[in-house]
Amino acid sequence: MLRFIAASLLIAASVQAGPALAAGLKIAVVAPTEGPFALLGQQILDGARFQAEDRGSEIIMVPETCEAKDGSELTKTLLATGAEAAIGFLCTESLEASLPALAESGIPAITLSVRSDILMEDALKKKWPFFRLVPSAKAEAAKVTEVILSHWKNEPLALIEDGTIHGRELVESVRGALADIGLTPVFSDTYRPAQEQQVSLVRRLAKSGATHVFTGGDRADTAVIARDAASEQVALTLMGGETLDAANQPVPLANGVLAVALPDHAKEPDAKATVDLMVAAKLVPEGYVLPAFSAVTLLEQAKDQALEDETKLGEALLKGPYQTAIGPIRYNANHELADNPYRLLQWQNNRFVPAAAVTGTE
């Protein structure tokens, strides 16, 4: 009786989390099973498997080592599964090795992690059925620019970065986009990262007249800057990128610091039915669990569309939007997410919340 009730609950939740009549299909999950990324691989597998069999889909695990030398073996194993689609792919090396063979077999691949613009450019040129459930490398800079223009356009702006490749490229992309519309920061600087204090930087910011600062650096440095600005009684509104979504140590992040980052999918309305069911099944919906589950429901709906249109699965993926637990998924002609998933968040009482939910963020 308990098993019957559990099965009924699963089916009921499927109606809310995705179409109940979605066509089942065979999906390969390419993810690490050993080493430092094994936990992430397990999250992907758990998310993909959740309810898959109830909806008629089959999940097949394909170990991913993230080593270029193992690419040939991974490709052989992947093709031998007879899968109609493949998801996962935490590493660029795995995609580079397997995409040509997958394309030849008409098997679409969806990465939950890789954001390389160069790889996507190659895929488009060679007509590989490559998609991703994460934003491109350019999307973060685009959202930061959008936020600055909509919230800070008339404020004295500073752009600072930590000298890392990511920090420098992010800030330069934002600077270039702002320059195109005639907006120039009053202060720019590359600061030394991983310092115990940033008082000198804070004083230079104050001297420049900047009141709103975008920090192209990690969470620890941004937390130090916020702390030292408060101790120097320098009023600064700080905003960072996705790197601020990290461990809150060694210096706690101050309330009010902004971040352009991805939201916590588990707390989004679209995910509630699925999250409740996962919790009831003692599956923690963290990390890659919800994205992997959503990739499966996305593919199932796309297969329904492909059968209706008598077309290929990869072509059907471009027909969205398709509703998933992480929100509606729609791809543009370049196989990128049509809607930028980055949001403006604010650190408040030990967690990031939507900035609109906090008074005085604009």
Side-chain angles (χ1 to χ4, degrees), residues 136-159:
S136 70
K138 298 175 183 176
E140 184 180 10
K143 189 65 176 182
V144 170
T145 303
E146 176 191 319
V147 169
I148 289 174
L149 293 177
S150 61
H151 291 67
W152 295 0
K153 188 173 183 180
N154 299 316
E155 306 291 350
L157 172 69
L159 299 178

Side-chain angles (χ1 to χ4, degrees), residues 22-220:
L25 70 167
K26 185 180 289 189
I27 302 172
V29 169
V30 181
T33 57
E34 299 178 347
F37 302 123
L39 176 60
L40 303 182
Q42 189 61 50
Q43 290 174 352
I44 295 174
L45 183 60
D46 288 343
R49 279 179 171 167
F50 190 74
Q51 293 192 59
E53 292 182 359
D54 294 281
R55 295 178 305 198
S57 292
E58 180 183 356
I59 304 299
I60 306 165
M61 187 67 190
V62 176
E64 179 182 29
T65 65
C66 295
E67 297 286 344
K69 64 181 178 63
D70 297 327
S72 177
E73 186 62 31
L74 182 147
T75 301
K76 290 178 183 177
T77 303
L78 183 50
L79 293 178
T81 65
E84 301 167 74
I87 68 169
F89 300 102
L90 290 186
C91 304
T92 304
E93 294 84 355
S94 307
L95 282 166
E96 289 177 337
S98 56
L99 276 175
L102 291 176
E104 188 174 342
S105 300
I107 301 172
I110 300 178
T111 178
L112 307 183
S113 173
V114 177
R115 307 187 184 196
S116 168
D117 289 327
I118 294 176
L119 181 60
M120 182 59 81
E121 289 170 8
D122 287 344
L124 293 173
K125 288 177 184 176
K126 298 172 183 177
K127 302 187 184 308
W128 294 340
F130 172 48
F131 300 84
R132 45 186 165 204
L133 222 58
V134 288
S136 70
K138 298 175 183 176
E140 184 180 10
K143 189 65 176 182
V144 170
T145 303
E146 176 191 319
V147 169
I148 289 174
L149 293 177
S150 61
H151 291 67
W152 295 0
K153 188 173 183 180
N154 299 316
E155 306 291 350
L157 172 69
L159 299 178
I160 61 176
E161 44 92 3
D162 62 1
T164 62
I165 293 175
H166 176 75
R168 183 171 62 250
E169 290 182 348
L170 176 58
V171 167
E172 285 306 310
S173 294
V174 172
R175 190 196 318 278
L178 295 176
D180 288 342
I181 61 171
L183 187 60
T184 304
V186 300
F187 181 84
S188 296
D189 194 22
T190 299
Y191 63 84
R192 292 184 62 188
Q195 302 299 298
E196 292 184 0
Q197 55 88 13
Q198 292 285 1
V199 173
S200 175
L201 172 62
V202 167
R203 289 174 178 170
R204 293 200 308 276
L205 284 164
K207 186 176 180 179
S208 74
T211 59
H212 290 64
V213 184
F214 178 72
T215 65
D218 66 20
R219 184 187 182 108

Side-chain angles (χ1 to χ4, degrees), residues 222-238:
T222 302
V224 169
I225 294 169
R227 180 202 65 193
D228 291 353
S231 67
E232 292 290 305
Q233 296 185 337
V234 176
L236 296 179
T237 300
L238 298 175

